[in-house]
Amino acid sequence: MDEKIRAAARNALNEGDDALSDDELLAELENDPELERFREARMEQMKHEINHVRELRSLGHGEYQEISNEGDMVKLISSTAKGVVHFTHPSFARCKILDKHLRLLAPHHFDTHFVSMSVEKCPFLAQKFQIRVLPCLVIVSGGRVADRLVGFEEFGNNDGFSTEELERRLAKAGVLKIPKGELGRVPVAQRPISYQIGHSQTEENDSGDDELDY
């Protein structure tokens, strides 16, 4: 039995006897209204989080999307809580390098919406954001542009920068969080893909949180 449930059961029952078996604890739990309310509240929380994941997935979270309609991109930027928008050009080699990194990151940062759009298809936005150099990465927070990366200057103009370097830069901008513990030291391409119910996978979270694989 989960140690958190055991501890909660003993606390609720004022029982200090560690010799109680799992079966005995479960029998007591079935008759305890406080623990029943706790279980019901937890189930409601999990249902809410599952619905939240489904809603985000329906919007394209968890994958790197290419947007072709400028009106759709305007709506996306204005309504996105956390987003990374790559303004690109199909013939630019550096845009393809950035595409590769963003495609790797998107499944690991489910709460963040990763999208791209060719500047040829969005003249209004290109002018509004004064995009002069490509690739251009616009970071969106709360429906507003919070930061941007232009070219590869922040990576020493080196085409060989790592996905992890980009991840750290986006974390610094506040649009995503680095995974907690040992997982944060594993290369992005080798990490398991999961969504943690109720929290992002960061250092501050309890290791006992539930996870949804997708």
Side-chain angles (χ1 to χ4, degrees):
M1 181 191 295
D2 190 291
E3 285 303 316
K4 291 184 177 180
I5 296 178
R6 295 178 67 97
R10 291 197 176 97
N11 183 61
L13 300 170
N14 294 317
E15 176 62 68
D17 184 7
D18 286 340
L20 280 176
S21 69
D22 286 351
D23 289 341
E24 289 172 320
L25 281 173
L26 285 172
E28 295 292 347
L29 279 173
E30 289 177 355
N31 299 318
D32 187 86
E34 188 65 30
L35 267 296
E36 180 64 23
R37 285 193 290 271
F38 171 80
R39 187 178 68 175
E40 290 177 357
R42 181 58 175 157
M43 289 299 296
E44 285 300 314
Q45 180 189 5
M46 291 181 68
K47 288 178 183 178
H48 173 77
E49 292 296 337
I50 290 169
N51 289 334
H52 177 62
V53 170
R54 287 172 176 166
E55 179 183 3
L56 291 181
R57 181 182 288 171
S58 72
L59 295 173
H61 286 242
E63 61 184 26
Y64 182 45
Q65 282 188 313
E66 182 179 355
I67 307 298
S68 58
N69 181 278
E70 188 169 34
D72 290 342
M73 180 62 85
V74 171
K75 291 178 183 177
L76 187 150
I77 290 173
S78 63
S79 63
T80 296
K82 292 188 292 184
V84 176
V85 181
H86 178 202
F87 288 99
T88 182
H89 192 284
S91 66
F92 282 35
R94 282 191 164 183
C95 290
K96 294 177 182 179
I97 292 172
L98 196 53
D99 281 337
K100 178 191 69 174
H101 293 305
L102 295 172
R103 193 168 288 110
L104 282 172
L105 286 172
H108 296 279
H109 297 282
F110 195 80
D111 286 335
T112 304
H113 204 169
F114 289 81
V115 297
S116 71
M117 188 169 197
S118 170
V119 290
E120 295 179 320
K121 297 180 180 180
C122 57
F124 168 76
L125 289 174
Q127 182 175 6
K128 178 179 177 61
F129 296 142
Q130 298 183 346
I131 298 172
R132 302 286 183 269
V133 176
L134 295 177
C136 178
L137 207 60
V138 170
I139 296 165
V140 179
S141 178
R144 297 176 178 273
V145 174
D147 201 353
R148 67 171 66 196
L149 283 76
V150 179
F152 289 173
E153 291 182 6
E154 296 193 38
F155 305 110
N157 275 320
N158 176 16
D159 290 3
F161 69 92
S162 68
T163 304
E164 293 72 36
E165 288 178 272
L166 177 60
E167 183 182 47
R168 288 192 292 271
R169 175 60 179 85
L170 295 176
K172 182 180 178 181
V175 76
L176 55 78
K177 294 181 179 180
I178 302 294
K180 62 186 178 183
E182 290 296 326
L183 187 60
R185 291 182 279 277
V186 175
V188 173
Q190 298 175 23
R191 290 179 200 161
I193 297 174
S194 62
Y195 177 80
Q196 194 167 41
I197 297 177
H199 302 279
S200 298
Q201 294 185 8
T202 59
E203 293 284 357
E204 63 195 32
N205 295 326
D206 190 297
S207 62
D209 288 332
D210 298 305
E211 294 183 356
L212 291 176
D213 292 330
Y214 66 92

